[in-house]
Amino acid sequence: MKRGSGRIRIIGGSLRNSRLDVPELPGLRPTPERVRETLFNWLAPVVAGARGLDLCAGTGALGIEALSRGAASVQFVEAQPRAAQALRDNLARLKAAGGQVATMDAQRFLTGSPTPFDLVWLDPPFDADLWTGLAARLEQGWLSPSAWLYVESPRGRVPELPPAWALHREAEAGEVRHALYRRAETLPLS
């Protein structure tokens, strides 16, 4: 499969082995299957019933994987209209209840009225360097007190993140660093 086009599959839960159509778009970089499998092994105890936010959703594979595994709801945010429409189409075709898609820039989405989320996937386009800015905005009421945050970045690059985000696990696959953070319920004393 050419990266950024074709189909990828959901690897677990009620939608296991379902295929997601992936439009051919510049910069669209679906999270590899083995990375998703590792992440959802890490998240297994906390996905059921969780409210998720898939920022810079792209294909939506991370959020759809969460819905497949019992997440109560996932808000997808994707700026590219064709990618957002493909995501809507995949959700409808799979009858994946609980998914909503906002076609807008993640930064603009986070200027709205905050609703706390339990799981957040932060996987912006690598060349946009949005990690630090989006993470700071997430801290303005978008996270439950002990939220789990997945951050995907280029191999060897650790984005600057808020001090309340404690690294839980990390790994590298190919050119990608993927890490899971847990938000501390109380901020450390300075």
Side-chain angles (χ1 to χ4, degrees):
M1 175 176 89
K2 183 177 172 186
R3 193 127 164 101
S5 66
R7 296 177 77 135
I8 57 176
R9 74 180 180 102
I10 299 301
I11 54 176
S14 63
L15 300 173
R16 184 179 180 171
N17 290 324
S18 297
R19 301 288 176 175
L20 301 179
D21 293 324
V22 179
E24 187 171 336
L25 294 168
L28 188 60
R29 182 185 39 76
T31 300
E33 189 173 302
R34 72 180 190 191
V35 172
R36 284 186 284 122
E37 184 170 8
T38 298
L39 170 63
F40 282 94
N41 286 339
W42 294 345
L43 287 175
V46 298
V47 172
R51 290 177 30 87
L53 175 61
D54 193 347
L55 282 174
C56 309
T59 65
L62 294 170
I64 294 173
E65 193 77 53
L67 289 171
S68 178
R69 294 166 186 254
S73 63
V74 175
Q75 174 65 61
F76 298 89
V77 180
E78 175 52 49
Q80 211 295 329
R82 280 187 51 214
Q85 187 57 53
L87 178 48
R88 279 187 197 90
D89 293 346
N90 281 323
L91 287 167
R93 182 176 48 77
L94 297 174
K95 297 178 177 71
Q100 296 181 6
V101 182
T103 306
M104 68 174 60
D105 175 88
Q107 293 173 319
R108 191 173 116 220
F109 178 84
L110 293 176
T111 63
S113 180
T115 302
F117 291 94
D118 307 306
L119 301 173
V120 176
W121 297 275
L122 182 55
D123 180 15
F126 285 1
D127 61 353
D129 198 21
L130 298 173
W131 296 276
T132 301
L134 291 174
R137 287 184 188 213
L138 284 167
E139 280 294 327
Q140 298 171 2
W142 292 96
L143 303 175
S144 67
S146 57
W148 291 91
L149 306 115
Y150 170 76
V151 179
E152 196 169 299
S153 58
R155 181 184 196 97
R157 175 149 184 223
V158 179
E160 185 177 327
L161 301 171
W165 295 20
L167 180 63
H168 179 67
R169 292 195 173 169
E170 67 181 323
E172 292 181 337
E175 296 303 314
V176 174
R177 173 189 181 264
H178 51 108
L180 184 63
Y181 294 83
R182 176 98 191 253
R183 186 171 186 270
E185 290 196 40
T186 57
L187 294 172
L189 298 174
S190 300

